[in-house]
Amino acid sequence: MRIAIIGCGWVGERLAKYLTDKKYHVIATTTSSEKIVSLEKVASEVHLLDFNVTIDFGFLASVDVAIFSMPIARNSWHQGFEKLNKQFPKTILFSSTGVYPQENKTFTEEDTENLRADILASENLVRKSYPQTNILRFGGLMGDERSLQKMFKNRTPDRPGKRTNYIHYEDILPIVELFINSEIKSETYNIVAPEHPSIAEVLHLEIENNSDENQRIISSDHLIQDFNYTFIH
């Protein structure tokens, strides 16, 4: 199976290695020539692709699954993306739970009011060109050098009782593979760990009340129910 990861950033590079190790043919793209060498270690092919510059998309021919991993909150790639004249049997878009308002409630994929305009514009643009796209909204990315311990190494959190909405990349990788091999289309899923410990609990801080009430929680129940997925982290 030929899988294109269009925009190989922090998650994309780890996904490329994961899929390559599982014998998928991975085509990785980047806008930076400086990243080619590192990506060549984890992908079958590496190509420079800038939607505002690239004219020939021939290397995307015969791709079975296209995974769009462009910066979701930026519109710099929008105009060029509309010129992409390739068809793909399956498409996946990496988005963000940052699309939901900063309100104290539990958000599900059914919540469509007051969504963040820049992220929503990117989602709608991709769905317009590829209606079959499954949108995966990731929580805060964790793993390797990304951790709350490092984030607060030299400072104290302002709200230690704040509940977390994170996802470890070691969960992202098998979840994406589930979608690669699934017949589900045109759905949106929150990809967030089902447990939401407070920052204080993660950092083992001793405070009187380590959890505020009525907080912003992102639910991943839709994913768990549809795929019977058990989170690693």
Side-chain angles (χ1 to χ4, degrees), residues 1-4 25 60-66 88-91 180:
M1 183 181 289
R2 292 169 60 84
I3 301 173
H25 184 98
L60 293 176
S62 302
V63 163
D64 298 294
V65 183
F88 309 107
K90 289 184 181 180
T91 49
I180 288 171

Side-chain angles (χ1 to χ4, degrees), residues 4 6 20 50 57 72 87 89 107 139 157 179 183 190 197 199 210 215 219 228:
I6 300 174
T20 296
D50 184 330
F57 297 101
I72 197 68
Q87 294 302 312
F107 287 97
F179 281 91
E183 294 305 314
N190 296 329
I199 294 174
N210 66 7
Q215 295 203 36
S219 171
N228 194 30

Side-chain angles (χ1 to χ4, degrees), residues 64-91:
D64 298 294
V65 183
I67 298 173
F68 299 118
S69 184
M70 298 80 71
I72 197 68
R74 301 179 192 170
N75 63 10
S76 55
W77 53 270
H78 285 191
Q79 187 173 358
F81 180 84
E82 292 182 296
K83 299 175 184 176
L84 181 61
N85 58 353
K86 294 294 180 183
Q87 294 302 312
F88 309 107
K90 289 184 181 180
T91 49

Side-chain angles (χ1 to χ4, degrees), residues 22-227:
K22 291 206 162 194
K23 309 305 179 185
Y24 293 92
H25 184 98
V26 177
I27 302 168
T29 83
T30 177
T31 59
S32 171
S33 58
E34 297 175 352
K35 291 194 65 177
I36 291 178
V37 173
S38 62
L39 289 175
E40 284 178 336
K41 297 176 182 178
V42 297
S44 308
E45 302 177 33
V46 181
H47 299 270
L48 281 174
L49 190 160
D50 184 330
F51 284 118
N52 296 314
V53 178
T54 304
I55 298 175
D56 183 6
F57 297 101
F59 60 86
L60 293 176
S62 302
V63 163
D64 298 294
V65 183
I67 298 173
F68 299 118
S69 184
M70 298 80 71
I72 197 68
R74 301 179 192 170
N75 63 10
S76 55
W77 53 270
H78 285 191
Q79 187 173 358
F81 180 84
E82 292 182 296
K83 299 175 184 176
L84 181 61
N85 58 353
K86 294 294 180 183
Q87 294 302 312
F88 309 107
K90 289 184 181 180
T91 49
I92 298 168
L93 173 66
F94 290 172
S95 186
S96 169
T97 56
V99 72
Y100 298 111
Q102 295 297 320
E103 299 174 5
N104 292 332
K105 61 171 285 187
T106 297
F107 287 97
T108 73
E109 297 83 352
E110 298 298 317
D111 287 291
T112 58
E113 297 295 322
N114 302 316
L115 299 184
R116 187 169 147 180
D118 52 359
I119 295 176
L120 188 62
S122 293
E123 291 185 350
N124 289 340
L125 177 69
V126 173
R127 273 264 177 85
K128 179 181 177 182
S129 296
Y130 300 98
Q132 77 274 23
T133 300
N134 285 315
I135 296 174
L136 308 187
R137 291 173 173 166
F138 296 147
L141 301 175
M142 287 289 158
D144 291 344
E145 74 279 8
R146 298 192 181 202
S147 70
L148 282 180
Q149 286 80 4
K150 290 187 177 181
M151 190 181 302
F152 293 105
K153 183 178 180 179
N154 297 312
R155 62 189 179 95
T156 302
D158 294 330
R159 288 183 59 198
K162 182 180 179 181
R163 291 286 178 183
T164 56
N165 291 289
Y166 291 119
I167 181 66
H168 198 288
Y169 77 85
E170 290 180 351
D171 278 302
I172 290 176
L173 307 185
I175 288 172
V176 172
E177 188 179 16
L178 286 175
F179 281 91
I180 288 171
N181 294 296
S182 171
E183 294 305 314
I184 290 176
K185 295 181 179 180
S186 308
E187 286 284 344
T188 300
Y189 290 88
N190 296 329
I191 312 298
V192 181
E195 301 296 327
H196 304 271
S198 69
I199 294 174
E201 289 170 332
V202 175
L203 298 178
H204 305 293
L205 301 178
E206 293 187 9
I207 59 176
E208 290 186 8
N209 181 11
N210 66 7
S211 176
D212 299 338
E213 297 298 324
N214 299 320
Q215 295 203 36
R216 180 177 181 271
I217 298 293
I218 310 299
S219 171
S220 56
D221 286 353
H222 183 31
L223 173 80
I224 295 169
Q225 291 166 5
D226 281 11
F227 289 90

